[in-house]
Amino acid sequence: MVEVGFFGAAGEVTGSMHMLDTGVDKILLDCGMYQGRRKESREKNENFEINRSEITTMILSHAHIDHSGRIPLLTKNGFSGRIVTTRPTKDALDYMLLDSGHIQESDALYLNYKSLRAFLYQLEQSKAKRQISNKEKARIKKLLKTGRHELNVDAIAALHKEYGLDMVTPLYTQQDALESLSFIDGYPFGSEVTIGKGITVKFYVAGHILGSAFSLITVKPENGGKPLKILFTGDVGRFEKPILKDPTLKFDEADRDIDLMIIESTYGDREHTPVADLAGSLKDTLNRTIERGGALLIPAFAYGRTQEIIYFLHQLYESGAVPQLPIYVDSPLASNITKVFGEHPETYDTETHKIFLEKGINPFYFKDIKFVESVEESMRVTQDDTPHIVISASGMCEAGRILHHLRYKIHNPKHTILIVGYMAQNTLGRRIEDFGLQENSAADKAPDVKILGKSYPLRAHVEKIGGFSAHADCHELMQVVAGSNLRVKKIAVVHGEADQSAAFARRLNDNGYSAFIPKPGDRVKLS
């Protein structure tokens, strides 16, 4: 008897986490971070419904933070097993988790700085019994900084303590993230790995991002009967996208009979722009922005989406289809992940080998691209008013350097914010997408969006190219289920907003499959 529990990304998109319980072993599937409203997501991320010390092994589908981001919380709170994933994913986590820890620390520090600065302004104002001067404000700001862009950590902490103010603490630190890396083991695709008593996992290509895998878990009964097989898709990639191989459709003969498939449904009721149209759409958006004399801002996940955008821009520049503007990749994480891509050409598709590698050309490095490293250089780019392209993290505009590019340019209608991926509900990216696509750019109609605690009018053009998504659309999801050689008994539909999951479950049931949508905390027994 195997019991499968659904604890995250059940009825929602982020926070992927499920568990297999065999009575001997408890196998965690993903340990993702919730993303959305700060307070709500913080509470969810801190609350583990599972006793971490009881988990014997964890399987990680891929390195995106909404699937891997709570690993440091797992490993510092009682977990003593191993985390099993693919080799490219393990290599990427060396950077992804440390970057996440850095973001947790930086965001907490910045929020503490902002709240303390506001408190000191009010304190001085009450002392002077009048509005405080800009000179006094400058003095307070200087007190809280060690340089132009560096906050004074010690002074901020000391003043919070002196005045009895509540401080925001990071969810976890870079040190926590560093220590979690020692728990992670990477394995090749196609190899069978023992992860518990009578339990193995085999990784198949999922095509979502570099290293992403379908996890085929086999549980062999002690009495020698028929084994149970659970296929956890993680996130499913698109077909015929550049760089990576397509999602697996042909599984080994011994792995074809699936007792339970756990499948994502991010785009369970949507169709994407055909892959063949992506370069043309990007060209048109860029040329329109150049005509206005503006910059093109592209919020993009550092892992996967950034490299794909670089790939397409490289092709457009090589063909002369667009003016060759400076391209700034303003994300140290994206710089490091691009190096990881270069270390795993075995994951590339035949097209990438033919167009670039066989000609001795690196797909991701060319003369017009600049990987921004320092904060000072990043600030110079944010203030650059000439036409250029910025690709910056995070993909949903919830953290990172993209926030600073947005606050400098979001009010100006000559600039363009290009949405190239999924924006979860309650994220800044989703608000920009929803407001921006309404085309309310006039001064008296411009909606306000809040960035780092301050409101800005959204007057920049907002465009969206849906086909860049690394998630399969409704037809591609069906292709994995019905177009593969699998025979599936039961399907759990997860990782989707309510309408998307419901639509995909209906589609599956209409096609003769037995599909259901688990709620958080639901459990299903397999025998």
Side-chain angles (χ1 to χ4, degrees):
M1 178 75 70
V2 174
E3 187 175 76
V4 181
F6 303 92
F7 298 98
E12 57 189 321
V13 178
T14 63
S16 178
M17 189 167 72
H18 316 288
M19 190 175 74
L20 274 63
D21 186 348
T22 67
V24 176
D25 290 283
K26 290 185 177 180
I27 311 295
L28 196 65
L29 306 179
D30 283 354
C31 192
M33 185 177 289
Y34 290 95
Q35 297 166 314
R37 291 192 182 99
R38 187 180 301 276
K39 183 178 179 181
E40 180 183 347
S41 59
R42 171 75 184 224
E43 290 173 353
K44 286 185 174 182
N45 285 323
E46 289 180 325
N47 179 32
F48 268 76
E49 302 88 341
I50 306 166
N51 187 330
R52 282 164 273 196
S53 64
E54 294 180 358
I55 299 168
T56 53
T57 305
M58 178 190 152
I59 297 170
L60 177 62
S61 64
H62 66 286
H64 273 157
I65 290 300
D66 64 321
H67 292 255
S68 69
R70 286 202 285 171
I71 286 176
L73 292 178
L74 174 72
T75 57
K76 76 171 188 173
N77 286 287
F79 175 74
S80 59
R82 303 301 300 167
I83 299 170
V84 178
T85 190
T86 66
R87 285 177 176 171
T89 295
K90 180 183 185 300
D91 291 345
L93 288 173
D94 289 347
Y95 303 108
M96 293 289 286
L97 293 180
L98 286 174
D99 181 76
S100 181
H102 172 69
I103 288 172
Q104 302 305 316
E105 292 181 344
S106 298
D107 282 359
L109 177 60
Y110 189 77
L111 288 169
N112 288 328
Y113 161 72
K114 294 278 284 186
S115 64
L116 179 60
R117 191 181 72 180
F119 171 80
L120 293 176
Y121 285 175
Q122 292 173 357
L123 188 65
E124 290 300 314
Q125 186 173 320
S126 64
K127 287 179 181 177
K129 295 182 180 180
R130 57 175 171 75
Q131 193 73 23
I132 66 171
S133 65
N134 288 333
K135 183 177 181 181
E136 186 62 21
K137 287 182 179 180
R139 185 192 70 79
I140 291 171
K141 286 182 181 179
K142 187 175 181 181
L143 174 69
L144 304 180
K145 291 186 175 183
T146 57
R148 187 176 177 186
H149 306 301
E150 296 293 325
L151 298 180
N152 190 327
V153 179
D154 294 335
I156 291 170
L159 287 167
H160 268 86
K161 185 176 180 180
E162 179 181 342
Y163 291 108
L165 304 176
D166 291 334
M167 286 192 70
V168 177
T169 57
L171 192 63
Y172 54 82
T173 65
Q174 292 181 75
Q175 184 60 36
D176 295 329
L178 181 63
E179 291 171 2
S180 75
L181 298 176
S182 64
F183 289 79
I184 302 169
D185 298 325
Y187 294 92
F189 284 97
S191 62
E192 196 166 48
V193 182
T194 298
I195 57 172
K197 186 176 181 181
I199 312 171
T200 61
V201 64
K202 186 188 295 184
F203 295 118
Y204 288 90
V205 172
H208 174 61
I209 59 171
L210 183 80
S212 63
F214 297 151
S215 304
L216 193 289
I217 303 154
T218 301
V219 182
K220 300 173 183 176
E222 291 184 23
N223 60 12
K226 186 176 181 294
L228 287 171
K229 290 190 179 288
I230 298 98
L231 181 65
F232 174 49
T233 67
D235 286 349
V236 181
R238 297 199 64 194
F239 290 85
E240 299 181 4
K241 288 283 289 292
I243 307 176
L244 300 178
K245 296 175 182 177
D246 288 349
T248 302
L249 295 179
K250 187 175 181 180
F251 292 78
D252 293 345
E253 185 63 32
D255 295 333
R256 292 180 61 190
D257 292 305
I258 305 299
D259 294 278
L260 177 66
M261 172 186 276
I262 306 171
I263 189 169
E264 68 124 321
S265 57
T266 309
Y267 291 111
D269 194 32
R270 294 177 189 164
E271 297 182 15
H272 290 320
T273 302
V275 172
D277 296 343
L278 294 181
S281 298
L282 180 59
K283 179 190 74 173
D284 293 343
T285 298
L286 180 54
N287 283 332
R288 283 192 292 269
T289 305
I290 293 171
E291 288 173 6
R292 295 194 299 269
L296 180 62
L297 304 184
I298 308 177
F301 291 113
Y303 192 170
R305 192 63 41 78
T306 291
Q307 291 74 30
E308 194 174 355
I309 296 294
I310 292 171
Y311 182 100
F312 277 112
L313 287 171
H314 195 171
Q315 283 189 308
L316 290 172
Y317 279 27
E318 284 285 313
S319 67
V322 295
Q324 296 185 7
L325 302 180
I327 302 168
Y328 298 102
V329 179
D330 192 8
S331 165
L333 176 60
S335 301
N336 288 322
I337 292 299
T338 303
K339 295 174 187 175
V340 175
F341 266 76
E343 294 165 358
H344 290 280
E346 76 280 4
T347 64
Y348 299 172
D349 60 14
T350 54
E351 181 185 32
T352 301
H353 279 273
K354 183 177 180 180
I355 293 175
F356 289 108
L357 270 62
E358 291 177 8
K359 298 177 183 177
I361 302 173
N362 190 311
F364 309 112
Y365 295 90
F366 48 104
K367 67 180 181 64
D368 301 289
I369 196 163
K370 169 68 175 176
F371 290 87
V372 178
E373 295 296 336
S374 70
V375 173
E376 290 74 19
E377 186 178 3
S378 176
M379 292 301 292
R380 285 195 296 272
V381 175
T382 64
Q383 298 171 49
D384 184 353
D385 202 42
T386 63
H388 60 274
I389 300 169
V390 173
I391 309 169
S392 186
S394 71
M396 296 188 192
C397 306
E398 281 297 285
R401 294 181 179 180
I402 189 61
L403 296 177
H404 299 282
H405 292 284
L406 288 170
R407 70 189 182 96
Y408 270 90
K409 292 184 168 70
I410 199 167
H411 64 280
N412 193 324
K414 75 177 183 178
H415 301 305
T416 300
I417 303 167
L418 179 59
I419 307 296
V420 294
Y422 179 78
M423 298 294 183
Q425 287 183 335
N426 304 317
T427 61
L428 173 60
R430 183 63 164 264
R431 289 190 289 277
I432 290 173
E433 178 181 343
D434 289 345
F435 286 142
L437 296 182
Q438 294 171 8
E439 293 296 329
N440 292 329
S441 59
D444 59 337
K445 293 183 179 179
D448 284 338
V449 293
K450 188 170 283 189
I451 302 172
L452 294 172
K454 184 178 179 181
S455 291
Y456 297 84
L458 173 54
R459 297 195 184 100
H461 286 256
V462 178
E463 299 194 27
K464 181 177 181 179
I465 305 177
F468 274 112
S469 175
H471 288 270
D473 67 10
C474 59
H475 302 298
E476 291 165 320
L477 289 170
M478 280 302 301
Q479 190 172 353
V480 170
V481 179
S484 68
N485 66 342
L486 295 174
R487 296 181 288 259
V488 185
K489 288 183 181 179
K490 188 179 294 186
I491 303 175
V493 178
V494 300
H495 201 288
E497 292 174 3
D499 60 332
Q500 299 300 310
S501 295
F504 187 55
R506 281 196 304 272
R507 186 186 294 262
L508 288 168
N509 287 320
D510 290 345
N511 281 272
Y513 294 94
S514 177
F516 66 100
I517 304 170
K519 299 182 181 67
D522 280 357
R523 299 170 187 262
V524 63
K525 293 182 179 180
L526 305 174
S527 58

